[in-house]
Amino acid sequence: MKLVKKVASQPENANHSQLGRSTMNRRAFLKRSGISVGGIAAASSLPLSMLQKKAHAAATPAASSGDETKTIRTICTHCSVGCGIEAEVENGVWTGQEPAFDHPFNRGAHCAKGAAVREHGHGERRLKYPTKLVNGKWTKVSWEQAITEIGDNLLKIREQSGPDSVFWLGSAKFNNEQAYLFRKYAAMWGTNNVDHQARICHSTTVAGVANTWGYGAMTNSYNDIHNSKAILVIGGNPAEAHPVSLQHIFRAKERNNAPLIVIDPRYTRTAAHADLFLRIRPGTDVPLIWGMMWHIFKNGWEDKKFIEERVYGMEEIKKEVEKWPPDEVEKVSGVPEDLVKKAAKLMADHRPGTFIWCMGGTQHTIGNNNTRAYCNFQLALGNMGTSGGGTNIFRGHDNVQGATDFCILSHSLPGYYGLSAGAWKHWSKVWDLDYEWIASRFDQNSYEEAAGKPAKPMNTKGIPVSRWIDGVLEDKEKIAQKDNFKAVVMWGHAPNSQTRGPEMKKAQEKLDMLVIIDPYPTVSAVMHDRTDGVYLLPAATQFETYGSVTASNRSLQWRDKVIDPLFESLPDHTIMYKLAKKLGFADQLFKNIKVNGEEPLIEDITREFNKGMWTIGYTGQTPERMKKQQQNWHTFNYTSLLAQGGPCNGEYFGLPWPCWGTADMKHPGTPNLYDMSKPVAEGGLTFRARFGVEREGVSLLAKGAYSKGSEIEDGYPEFTADMLKKLGWYNDLTDAEKALAEGKNWKTDLSGGIQRVAIKHGCAPFGNAKARSVVWTFPDPVPIHREPLYTSRRDLVEKYPTYEDRKSFYRLPTRYGSIQAKDYSKDYPLIMTSGRLVEYEGGGDETRSNPWLAELQQDMFVEINVVDANNNGIRHGDQIWVEGPEGGKIKVMAKVTEHGVMAGVVWLPFHYGGHFQGKDLRSKYPKGSDPYVLGEACNTAFTYGYDSVTQMQETKASLCRISRA
Amino acid sequence: MHTLNQVNQPRRKLTLRSMIILVLIVIVAPLIPYSVAAVKEGLSNPNPGAQLWRDVRQRDGTVVGQTQARGVDSGILISKEGEQWRQFRMQQFTPYSAMIFAAVIGAFVLYFLVRGRIRIEGQRSGETIQRTTLVARYIHWFAAVIFVLLALTGLILLYGRWVLIPVLGPEGFSATAIACKNIHNYIGPLFLVSVVLLFFVFVRDSLFNFKVDTKWFLKAGGYLGGSHPSSEKFNAGQKAWFWVAILGGLVLALSGLVLDFANYGQGRILMQDAHIIHSISSVLVIAFFFVHVYLASIGMEGALEAMTSGDVDTNWAKQHHDLWYDEMKGQGGGKQDTEA
Amino acid sequence: MARMKFLCDAGRCIECNGCVTACKNEHEVPWGMNRRRVVTINDGSPGERSISVACMHCSDAPCAAVCPVDCFYTTDDGVVLHDKDVCIGCGYCFYACPFGAPQFPGDGAFGSRGKMDKCTFCAGGPETDHSSAETEKYGRNRLAEGKLPICAEMCATKALLAGDGDKVSDVYRERVTYRGASAGAWGWGIAYSKGKQE
């Protein structure tokens, strides 16, 4: 009659990880490892048996002979900080995890997820073998059968509807080699309908920032924050999303007395350590930033010299800023004048200051306006290109930076080359393939125009992940491609991170085939009511393979393989080989990449992208250089990331891109972008000359400012072979280099000679220009405020309306004004916004399958203010409905707080899945692969709304209503 | 006529007084700003850390923090009640209860040595009358066995650490303690049943009669010399024992249930309080129990039969429960004892 | 000999729960038992502070005092450990502990909680160092390998410090000195603010 609570204790003869020196195999280890089953457990240990066990145990000698423990170095798979991990492996079993004290990013530290990665070696809830949905039942199939059937279906769809009818959704958790391979794979298949998480995460950052000064990545590094005299975080909660970054932020806070300013609608854990907290209405970043700049300009705090020399168009910004005096700022954003001024003054008084943002700023219909406003703020203060300053954008997944750089994106080829013929020709050369053959793989018809001429799908932006459901559901006549999506392959990407859940369910049900390739089933396996046509292929995690990964600060790190793939899973690149072989383009895809059995050689892939990624300098990071750095973590300085002596002497940790030229050039990497205090050869940089040389009579090149040691003591355009000739430097090229460089520029010269020579003369290969505050190619050249599509401030809609509807944007009709025209605020009075929890990552199936993490966050919840709770008769802990204006509704627990969120705003974490509109879908998971914790996905309730440049979804400002369940 | 002394006397007094006043002013005056500051103190507490640590230490009342770890009291960082409870159990309860038990047992050893066994006046008559029914006896022994088991196991758990570990060793005592704990915890709920049954069986005879029972108490039941006071079926002492056993037993049982079924999320403070109540009442009941057992067995001739055969000798009844005997005689209840 | 102590710097703890999962990872602590937890005071309000707490290895350990079977012992390093084989699962140590460190696998019906489990300062238990019995019952023994508790070693912001009390004090003292005003020293915010104030 013993009543035991939900707990797992070891069965009587279980052993924990055998850290004594005895051997065992993985199966035995897992069996004996006392893992929780996540439900009612067996009876607990009986006292008398423990007595017996001790007697037995005493007979076991302490250290017996056995296999030694190997220590394997890898990088965490969860966020972009890129913490080092030291895994202890015995006989192929992952038995221990030691802190990686030597690693310069984290020095052994971890957050909850990083400290729990060893559970990947347990993998209790992993997808164990290829599975097919047959008549509503999950059926085990072999790899061969799965690949054959999937391949046949894909080829059939290709024949009937064209290559654009398959959506290839890739992953930010691919390593660099897999990411690059995937983009190439999609090109071989013949479509630009390929995308990944960056679209819904920092796409507006990349677009906005790159269009301001050349590259769209974090400009400094987490470690460089040690040098900051002020830190501003807007729309970000690094205490939960990048906890180890707080190690660096605290260093600045404690040693430099740097004030930490946090701007957020919610009093987050980061705000708890802030010196100044500004509570902002979701979606009003531009008014607030302009409000801060109003004070900066009014008091003359701007860095006039910097603006004069390195910025174009600041006067336009000034004009816009004049429209934002304090009372207008307070009216729109809710932040009073004294706080706005205080924030501005703190940043102005304490320079260099760094500016950090995350999804709170990016996930809006005006995301690109927000990110450009942030950039302009830092430009105005002259905080760019200096250690301690910069726009330190904290990216999300462990390799979203790499996946973005390799452009698993529907609008570009790897390296941000774009989709023009020139871009394709460049990559054809790198891939050693016939350009015409590649072109023939695409749909040859035209469905839209570009620059007045018909454009082919090969050169037009594909449908992004935020809109894939419209690719399925939209009237096919209105889509700028041949047909709807008939099949979607979700490869390392969860569905519950995209909005409009009920429509997504319909889309999944309408497809001919849905393929999920992931270590875990993901919510895609359960949220629809399909009975057939779904395949689950088990992919291996990054601990079961090896390769390079790019952290948010652009450092590349090499991972070693910790354990062999669990169960029947395979590494992603092996699966790509199998599919490519079935689909008929394996020879082309792997033309210069050795394939061992079915596994492509990772190092060959690295070397291939080293040959082609000239735009962002992924050319100097060879496997050898990266591996050497991995073995010498301890030689890199904690603040500067420069190796001080040792085998990597002179290099920056991770050879942060741009790492110019070929590896022979031994460029050390660029730790802080746009920093002119160093020669380019030592990691210095200028702003990129990307937007032309002149506009409306004004020069776009830098004015009298140049990097240290530059032989051109002024601005200059990007380097071409012809420019080298004009400068008289052409003969610095070797003959071999000349052969390839002739007629090319720094991006397309496969020899790397143009880059080498430019750097030799102290110049940046991409030119030396001004950053532009006005992006004349964007819908809003000067960033302005527009109310979110679903807004509760109807009084502001007239003055700050959203865009007009577009007929075709990324091939799809995209609505703006027609949605904002309707007033939803009466029926849906509360602002709905979302965010992260430290215990979980992304769509959450992986982390919710880790018992050590799942135990800490067992319930999906919505955080509501006590006033709204009382107005709706809701008490803390009640189950309530949260309903969005598009009909999606979710049943979640109410977490009532007084100060967390303000009245009128509710906040939801987005990591949950497995419940759908009140229904528990646990039984629909393949047996043994359901995560421990399930919950409603907040995105079931979130709504339409897409950024005007990148189609980023608006998940930070929508509307909802709540009611007791 | 005034002498110089006399003239100077008032002046000296004045000087002395003013000196004293001056000294007092010098001492008191600087304190004035402090008192003003103390009044203002509530307005400005410049140490931001102070309030945090007050909350952590629960100085201003219970402050429950937020935590992701699920468990009893997991939101409390530092609980001071635990130390208070530890002091109670280890510094007060354990030694004092031992002393009380020793005193009670000692008292009866002494009494026996001095007074000896209380004999039946005029020997046994040979006639008996029924005192307790079979049901009553059954229930009594049911309760007795349970109580003894619980008391014994409880005492072993309380004192065993000092008394039995030296004898049995740590593992040996651990096994003993585990057995005691299990017996105590599984039998415990039955105790409540037994107390309730006992109540219904014996309550009618345990209701106090003010006149009779007060006299009995004033004469100390005759145990300390003097004549034997009148007594109903149960004398005042027995009635007192009844009420101690029932009320004390209820308290033990209920507090015991709180302790025994910790699976309802009881917080530590509740468990500590239940333990304190349980332990104090156990001492009370066990102490009385010692008295009851002594008197019912060796202390008094003829008493045990009341609970074994159920029939008592008439002389015994006349001697110790005269009013009851008279009442029973009036109803004609007697049985010839076959063999004395 | 070094006296082992924990110190959680509330000025740096961000409630990332890294210490919690690191401990679970290292010792394979089952679901339902948390040797270490992070508690946040004033959650969501200015003044929010988090503190990570586990067994503090007290000098005069209340748990050891109240244990009916005297199953606790203190090592030379000052680490308070107990013998699960002797433990009877009565729960008294949990009542006495100010920090709520003892954890039990069972829920307590009929007082059956199972054997008490708690933070061992990564020092294992009475079994032979590194034996499978020790690992299975108490988790890994890092101290015997010359390492320090994994929770502190993996703390994201180095808020949680563990080790020789003197060294821990030194580290914390250095931080307090750097922080100046925000350490909470009375009056320092005004007297020594280093230009942070306006």
Side-chain angles (χ1 to χ4, degrees):
Chain A
M1 217 195 101
K2 232 183 254 197
L3 303 164
V4 284
K5 74 176 181 205
K6 265 196 217 190
V7 91
S9 52
Q10 49 279 31
E12 287 191 1
N13 287 317
N15 282 322
H16 284 289
S17 45
Q18 287 273 35
L19 294 153
R21 318 283 179 235
S22 52
T23 56
M24 86 197 88
N25 61 35
R26 198 191 66 79
R27 275 224 153 73
F29 164 68
L30 288 176
K31 202 166 79 176
R32 303 194 289 175
S33 205
I35 314 285
S36 130
V37 180
I40 311 296
S44 52
S45 46
L46 299 168
L48 289 175
S49 68
M50 291 300 276
L51 267 176
Q52 289 166 353
K53 230 187 289 207
K54 182 178 182 188
H56 160 74
T60 312
S64 50
S65 65
D67 286 355
E68 13 168 292
T69 312
K70 284 203 289 242
T71 303
I72 295 175
R73 292 190 159 180
T74 182
I75 306 296
C76 182
T77 185
H78 289 298
C79 91
S80 71
V81 172
C83 295
I85 289 185
E86 294 210 341
E88 291 189 333
V89 177
E90 270 177 82
N91 197 21
V93 182
W94 194 351
T95 53
Q97 193 181 333
E98 283 299 311
F101 289 121
D102 289 340
H103 197 282
F105 288 164
N106 67 322
R107 288 190 153 180
H110 284 301
C111 69
K113 299 185 292 293
V117 289
R118 191 173 67 85
E119 199 278 337
H120 285 89
H122 292 349
E124 283 280 302
R125 309 310 257 200
R126 286 275 292 270
L127 199 49
K128 298 172 176 67
Y129 36 71
T131 312
K132 180 181 165 184
L133 189 62
V134 178
N135 264 330
K137 283 184 127 56
W138 292 111
T139 319
K140 177 178 197 263
V141 295
S142 69
W143 270 104
E144 304 326 305
Q145 182 188 342
I147 297 287
T148 307
E149 290 180 17
I150 293 171
D152 287 339
N153 286 337
L154 289 174
L155 290 169
K156 193 165 84 193
I157 291 170
R158 185 191 175 89
E159 202 188 295
Q160 289 172 350
S161 310
D164 283 321
S165 285
V166 178
F167 184 54
W168 295 97
L169 182 54
S171 181
K173 290 172 80 95
F174 285 151
N175 60 33
N176 286 334
E177 289 72 23
Q178 292 162 344
Y180 166 78
L181 191 65
F182 190 73
R183 184 63 185 90
K184 189 178 170 190
Y185 171 104
M188 306 284 101
W189 167 262
T191 184
N192 289 330
N193 288 328
V194 58
D195 213 22
H196 80 291
Q197 285 91 340
R199 178 73 52 189
I200 52 176
C201 151
H202 266 294
S203 62
T204 47
T205 297
V206 176
V209 177
N211 276 288
T212 300
W213 51 53
Y215 285 151
M218 183 181 198
T219 60
N220 295 44
S221 66
Y222 294 105
N223 300 62
D224 185 66
I225 298 176
H226 299 176
N227 298 316
S228 301
K229 296 269 166 48
I231 303 156
L232 189 149
V233 177
I234 181 168
N237 184 9
E240 292 204 60
H242 307 87
V244 175
S245 71
L246 267 284
Q247 197 187 121
H248 305 291
I249 289 177
F250 278 137
R251 201 175 171 91
K253 203 172 167 231
E254 294 176 6
R255 298 200 181 202
N256 304 340
N257 252 310
L260 174 62
I261 304 162
V262 172
I263 305 174
D264 204 288
R266 184 174 164 249
Y267 193 82
T268 59
R269 290 182 191 171
T270 314
H273 291 272
D275 294 289
L276 183 64
F277 172 66
L278 270 60
R279 203 189 280 275
I280 184 180
R281 174 168 73 95
T284 58
D285 299 68
V286 170
L288 181 63
I289 299 297
W290 284 172
M292 284 167 69
M293 285 180 70
W294 188 90
H295 291 283
I296 290 175
F297 288 132
K298 177 146 166 290
N299 293 292
W301 295 333
E302 72 270 27
D303 187 336
K304 299 185 180 61
K305 179 160 176 279
F306 184 89
I307 295 172
E308 167 87 16
E309 292 176 352
R310 300 185 74 187
V311 183
Y312 168 87
M314 191 56 84
E315 320 76 49
E316 306 275 326
I317 302 294
K318 254 193 182 150
K319 273 193 231 142
E320 180 64 32
V321 167
E322 274 164 29
K323 297 182 194 157
W324 289 98
D327 44 300
E328 186 69 12
V329 171
E330 181 165 4
K331 181 162 158 230
V332 176
S333 72
V335 186
E337 174 178 4
D338 60 330
L339 290 179
V340 177
K341 181 169 179 195
K342 198 161 172 186
K345 188 163 196 295
L346 278 174
M347 289 298 282
D349 282 349
H350 298 85
R351 289 184 246 193
T354 187
F355 200 109
I356 298 165
W357 75 82
C358 287
M359 315 292 85
T362 61
Q363 290 179 338
H364 296 275
T365 45
I366 52 164
N368 67 90
N369 288 3
N370 293 344
T371 57
R372 286 183 295 133
Y374 306 148
C375 293
N376 278 304
F377 183 89
Q378 287 293 73
L379 287 171
L381 287 181
N383 271 335
M384 292 311 303
T386 168
S387 179
T391 49
N392 277 327
I393 303 142
F394 290 1
R395 301 297 301 257
H397 296 66
D398 55 320
N399 201 27
V400 68
Q401 182 65 52
T404 310
D405 294 333
F406 290 103
C407 292
I408 305 182
L409 294 166
S410 64
H411 63 272
S412 181
L413 283 167
Y416 309 102
Y417 279 86
L419 295 171
S420 63
W424 282 105
K425 291 200 175 109
H426 167 75
W427 281 105
S428 307
K429 268 226 321 241
V430 176
W431 297 339
D432 196 14
L433 296 173
D434 180 22
Y435 165 76
E436 295 302 332
W437 176 81
I438 299 177
S440 74
R441 299 289 296 163
F442 285 79
D443 184 349
Q444 299 302 310
N445 300 313
S446 171
Y447 308 92
E448 55 183 308
E449 289 193 349
K453 286 193 297 203
K456 292 207 208 154
M458 184 184 188
N459 308 106
T460 61
K461 298 196 280 233
I463 296 174
V465 59
S466 45
R467 304 293 306 277
W468 74 262
I469 57 181
D470 292 321
V472 180
L473 299 173
E474 182 67 66
D475 177 2
K476 82 175 196 192
E477 301 306 319
K478 297 208 180 117
I479 311 179
Q481 62 180 43
K482 181 166 175 193
D483 204 346
N484 293 94
F485 285 146
K486 300 292 182 192
V488 168
V489 180
M490 304 190 88
W491 201 321
H493 201 303
N496 51 327
S497 48
Q498 301 113 64
T499 54
R500 301 157 61 197
E503 286 176 86
M504 183 178 297
K505 179 169 183 287
K506 283 202 208 91
Q508 287 177 329
E509 287 161 2
K510 193 167 170 224
L511 291 169
D512 290 351
M513 177 173 72
L514 176 61
V515 180
I516 297 151
I517 308 179
D518 203 288
Y520 296 88
T522 75
V523 178
S524 303
V526 301
M527 68 184 270
H528 52 78
D529 289 325
R530 292 180 71 106
T531 52
D532 292 277
V534 181
Y535 292 87
L536 307 176
L537 299 181
T541 66
Q542 291 302 327
F543 298 108
E544 296 149 63
T545 183
Y546 69 104
S548 67
V549 58
T550 308
S552 188
N553 72 315
R554 298 162 286 107
S555 284
L556 274 72
Q557 303 191 75
W558 193 262
R559 284 186 175 128
D560 280 339
K561 186 165 98 162
V562 177
I563 50 178
D564 285 329
L566 295 185
F567 310 108
E568 290 181 38
S569 66
L570 291 172
D572 295 298
H573 46 290
T574 306
I575 303 175
M576 281 180 221
Y577 173 77
K578 289 168 90 81
L579 275 173
K581 193 154 124 224
K582 170 69 192 168
L583 296 171
F585 51 80
D587 292 334
Q588 291 87 345
L589 184 58
F590 298 101
K591 185 164 180 191
N592 291 319
I593 298 167
K594 184 155 181 283
V595 179
N596 294 318
E598 286 190 316
E599 186 178 344
L601 182 65
I602 289 282
E603 284 87 342
D604 275 356
I605 305 177
T606 319
R607 280 183 254 281
E608 185 172 294
F609 72 64
N610 285 149
K611 283 205 305 223
M613 296 280 282
W614 299 100
T615 41
I616 49 179
Y618 261 79
T619 49
Q621 300 97 333
T622 56
E624 291 71 32
R625 287 182 94 190
M626 290 193 274
K627 287 178 188 176
K628 192 154 74 153
Q629 289 209 341
Q630 184 212 55
Q631 294 308 309
N632 292 289
W633 283 343
H634 62 290
T635 59
F636 293 90
N637 179 282
Y638 185 44
T639 299
S640 68
L641 294 180
L642 183 62
Q644 301 162 302
C648 306
N649 187 36
E651 289 177 0
Y652 286 98
F653 185 67
L655 302 166
W657 65 256
C659 180
W660 300 107
T662 58
D664 299 329
M665 214 174 95
K666 291 205 185 326
H667 189 269
T670 311
N672 298 328
L673 294 177
Y674 322 122
D675 182 0
M676 301 204 297
S677 69
K678 296 201 273 279
V680 178
E682 288 170 29
L685 205 58
T686 53
F687 283 138
R688 182 173 168 181
R690 194 172 181 177
F691 318 116
V693 170
E694 167 193 279
R695 179 169 169 82
E696 290 166 359
V698 181
S699 168
L700 291 171
L701 300 177
K703 188 168 161 189
Y706 47 92
S707 58
K708 187 165 175 207
S710 172
E711 288 181 21
I712 304 177
E713 295 182 353
D714 202 355
Y716 46 87
E718 50 182 348
F719 274 80
T720 62
D722 293 333
M723 188 168 144
L724 284 183
K725 288 179 185 154
K726 275 201 216 124
L727 289 163
W729 298 346
Y730 189 72
N731 288 320
D732 289 2
L733 293 167
T734 65
D735 291 325
E737 286 171 343
K738 276 183 193 169
L740 289 170
E742 177 60 51
K744 300 277 186 240
N745 60 38
W746 66 281
K747 297 177 281 193
T748 50
D749 162 26
L750 293 186
S751 72
I754 296 178
Q755 292 193 358
R756 183 183 68 77
V757 170
I759 291 173
K760 184 163 151 233
H761 291 271
C763 294
F766 63 18
N768 177 13
K770 289 182 181 154
R772 58 173 181 178
S773 298
V774 179
V775 180
W776 47 85
T777 48
F778 276 13
D780 296 324
V782 171
I784 60 171
H785 174 60
R786 293 179 187 273
E787 282 289 311
L789 283 201
Y790 290 93
T791 176
S792 55
R793 292 292 300 272
R794 303 303 302 180
D795 58 314
L796 297 172
V797 168
E798 199 191 320
K799 192 167 177 198
Y800 304 109
T802 188
Y803 305 93
E804 286 186 13
D805 286 2
R806 294 195 202 169
K807 233 174 75 187
S808 185
F809 179 41
Y810 281 81
R811 300 189 187 177
L812 291 165
T814 307
R815 300 168 61 203
Y816 290 94
S818 62
I819 292 181
Q820 198 182 60
K822 181 151 178 240
D823 179 359
Y824 291 94
S825 62
K826 301 284 182 312
D827 294 324
Y828 302 92
L830 299 173
I831 299 175
M832 181 166 68
T833 187
S834 59
R836 285 183 144 88
L837 297 170
V838 69
E839 290 86 2
Y840 293 142
E841 181 208 348
D845 265 39
E846 177 183 20
T847 40
R848 283 180 286 108
S849 296
N850 182 334
W852 304 329
L853 294 169
E855 186 179 359
L856 295 170
Q857 284 284 5
Q858 296 183 32
D859 294 302
M860 169 61 180
F861 63 92
V862 55
E863 187 171 339
I864 53 182
N865 186 279
V866 63
V867 169
D868 295 320
N870 289 338
N871 286 346
N872 286 280
I874 291 167
R875 307 201 56 172
H876 180 81
D878 283 349
Q879 288 287 312
I880 66 172
W881 286 105
V882 177
E883 197 179 330
E886 288 176 8
K889 61 184 202 172
I890 54 179
K891 189 167 166 202
V892 296
M893 190 181 88
K895 178 179 169 182
V896 179
T897 66
E898 276 192 48
H899 307 286
V901 282
M902 56 189 177
V905 174
V906 310
W907 181 90
L908 299 136
F910 82 97
H911 307 290
Y912 293 82
H915 289 183
F916 193 77
Q917 308 216 103
K919 202 164 138 228
D920 182 347
L921 304 175
R922 189 180 285 278
S923 55
K924 291 178 73 178
Y925 274 95
K927 191 152 183 291
S929 293
D930 50 315
Y932 292 106
V933 170
L934 299 179
E936 290 274 12
C938 75
N939 282 320
T940 304
F942 268 95
T943 50
Y944 200 101
Y946 301 100
D947 177 78
S948 55
V949 170
T950 68
Q951 292 271 23
M952 159 76 81
Q953 56 194 22
E954 187 159 63
T955 35
K956 291 295 185 266
S958 184
L959 293 175
C960 72
R961 63 170 171 228
I962 55 180
S963 58
R964 286 200 61 177
Chain B
M1 189 167 102
H2 295 292
T3 60
L4 197 59
N5 240 356
Q6 280 170 323
V7 165
N8 281 338
Q9 201 91 319
R11 207 178 287 148
R12 245 186 243 131
K13 261 201 202 138
L14 195 59
T15 317
L16 190 62
R17 268 191 217 131
S18 38
M19 287 293 304
I20 290 171
I21 289 170
L22 198 61
V23 168
L24 283 172
I25 289 173
V26 167
I27 291 170
V28 169
L31 294 172
I32 293 171
Y34 276 102
S35 59
V36 172
V39 166
K40 277 212 201 137
E41 195 191 60
L43 298 174
S44 62
N45 180 1
N47 187 347
Q51 190 54 46
L52 168 69
W53 295 108
R54 292 185 74 85
D55 288 340
V56 169
R57 290 300 302 270
Q58 316 276 310
R59 285 223 191 281
D60 300 328
T62 308
V63 174
V64 181
Q66 185 277 125
T67 178
Q68 296 306 128
R70 298 190 173 195
V72 169
D73 287 349
S74 54
I76 308 271
L77 272 167
I78 300 181
S79 145
K80 58 185 187 297
E81 290 79 9
E83 186 63 17
Q84 291 165 358
W85 177 74
R86 171 244 183 119
Q87 294 298 329
F88 162 77
R89 184 168 185 270
M90 308 315 293
Q91 316 298 61
Q92 293 159 346
F93 179 70
T94 305
Y96 293 157
S97 61
M99 282 188 243
I100 290 170
F101 289 140
V104 168
I105 293 172
F108 281 98
V109 167
L110 198 63
Y111 190 84
F112 185 75
L113 289 174
V114 169
R115 173 85 192 261
R117 198 177 195 198
I118 298 172
R119 295 274 157 204
I120 295 177
E121 237 171 59
Q123 307 278 323
R124 290 176 177 274
S125 71
E127 271 182 52
T128 62
I129 73 175
Q130 191 194 42
R131 186 161 163 83
T132 30
T133 62
L134 180 62
V135 171
R137 275 176 278 142
Y138 182 80
I139 286 172
H140 168 271
W141 286 112
F142 174 68
V145 167
I146 288 175
F147 182 80
V148 167
L149 278 174
L150 290 175
L152 192 64
T153 52
L155 291 173
I156 289 175
L157 287 170
L158 177 60
Y159 296 120
R161 178 171 166 166
W162 298 274
V163 174
L164 291 176
I165 289 185
V167 175
L168 300 172
E171 284 93 356
F173 179 62
S174 169
T176 310
I178 288 170
C180 287
K181 176 171 158 275
N182 285 329
I183 292 171
H184 198 96
N185 291 351
Y186 282 91
I187 302 222
L190 281 178
F191 182 64
L192 180 61
V193 173
S194 71
V195 167
V196 170
L197 291 173
L198 275 176
F199 174 80
F200 283 114
V201 164
F202 293 116
V203 63
R204 222 163 356 115
D205 297 320
S206 302
L207 297 171
F208 281 102
N209 179 325
F210 183 69
K211 259 198 6 219
V212 175
D213 292 323
T214 322
K215 256 202 224 141
W216 192 95
F217 273 124
L218 288 172
K219 287 192 164 180
Y223 286 109
L224 300 176
S227 60
H228 197 307
S230 275
S231 153
E232 297 184 310
K233 180 168 183 188
F234 287 163
N235 64 39
Q238 285 172 304
K239 289 179 188 174
W241 163 233
F242 171 85
W243 289 108
V244 166
I246 297 304
L247 294 175
L250 271 176
V251 168
L252 277 171
L254 294 173
S255 59
L257 285 174
V258 170
L259 292 165
D260 204 9
F261 294 98
N263 48 315
Y264 291 96
Q266 292 95 309
R268 289 175 292 180
I269 295 176
L270 177 59
M271 296 297 266
Q272 289 156 10
D273 292 344
H275 175 272
I276 292 170
I277 293 169
H278 194 85
S279 44
I280 291 176
S281 51
S282 76
V283 170
L284 185 69
V285 177
I286 292 176
F288 261 83
F289 173 78
F290 285 148
V291 177
H292 171 73
V293 166
Y294 171 75
L295 289 173
S297 57
I298 45 173
M300 196 179 278
E301 186 193 9
L304 192 58
E305 293 127 50
M307 221 20 106
T308 48
S309 64
D311 305 315
V312 293
D313 192 275
T314 46
N315 276 355
W316 181 89
K318 266 190 241 163
Q319 176 188 4
H320 297 295
H321 301 281
D322 51 333
L323 298 175
W324 171 65
Y325 177 71
D326 291 336
E327 200 190 319
M328 295 309 296
K329 267 305 279 291
Q331 289 168 3
K335 222 165 36 170
Q336 194 70 25
D337 206 14
T338 49
E339 192 65 35
Chain C
M1 188 126 194
R3 203 221 181 279
M4 292 297 170
K5 293 186 184 169
F6 279 120
L7 190 153
C8 180
D9 184 348
R12 282 213 193 170
C13 181
I14 54 175
E15 203 189 345
C16 78
N17 281 317
C19 50
V20 175
T21 54
C23 173
K24 288 227 148 202
N25 179 346
E26 187 76 349
H27 308 293
E28 297 269 5
V29 182
W31 183 289
M33 301 223 280
N34 285 302
R35 291 185 175 185
R36 179 167 282 282
R37 66 192 194 280
V38 180
V39 179
T40 303
I41 307 284
N42 291 322
D43 190 35
S45 305
E48 171 184 321
R49 280 290 176 263
S50 302
I51 298 169
S52 168
V53 61
C55 171
M56 292 294 272
H57 301 277
C58 307
S59 320
D60 175 21
C63 55
V66 298
C67 177
V69 284
D70 197 18
C71 75
F72 288 87
Y73 63 100
T74 306
T75 68
D76 293 334
D77 290 331
V79 177
V80 175
L81 299 173
H82 73 296
D83 189 339
K84 282 194 184 186
D85 294 337
V86 173
C87 170
I88 63 172
C90 69
Y92 283 4
C93 49
F94 176 56
Y95 304 152
C97 176
F99 308 102
Q103 299 280 302
F104 295 91
D107 69 347
F110 291 106
S112 62
R113 296 173 184 76
K115 301 289 178 171
M116 187 278 274
D117 183 71
K118 74 167 183 68
C119 158
T120 58
F121 208 84
C122 290
E127 309 281 1
T128 322
D129 285 350
H130 307 308
S131 63
S132 59
E134 184 193 45
T135 309
E136 171 194 324
K137 290 182 202 163
Y138 305 100
R140 276 178 91 150
N141 189 338
R142 294 178 69 80
L143 251 61
E145 291 175 61
K147 298 177 182 164
L148 286 171
I150 194 80
C151 51
E153 292 194 331
M154 283 197 179
C155 172
T157 53
K158 310 297 178 193
L160 184 61
L161 304 167
D164 177 0
D166 292 333
K167 298 218 170 63
V168 167
S169 304
D170 288 342
V171 170
Y172 188 64
R173 194 177 310 117
E174 191 190 337
R175 279 191 204 170
V176 167
T177 315
Y178 267 116
R179 283 175 196 161
S182 56
W186 185 90
W188 285 36
I190 292 155
Y192 311 119
S193 66
K194 289 195 215 164
K196 207 164 110 175
Q197 312 285 342
E198 292 194 335

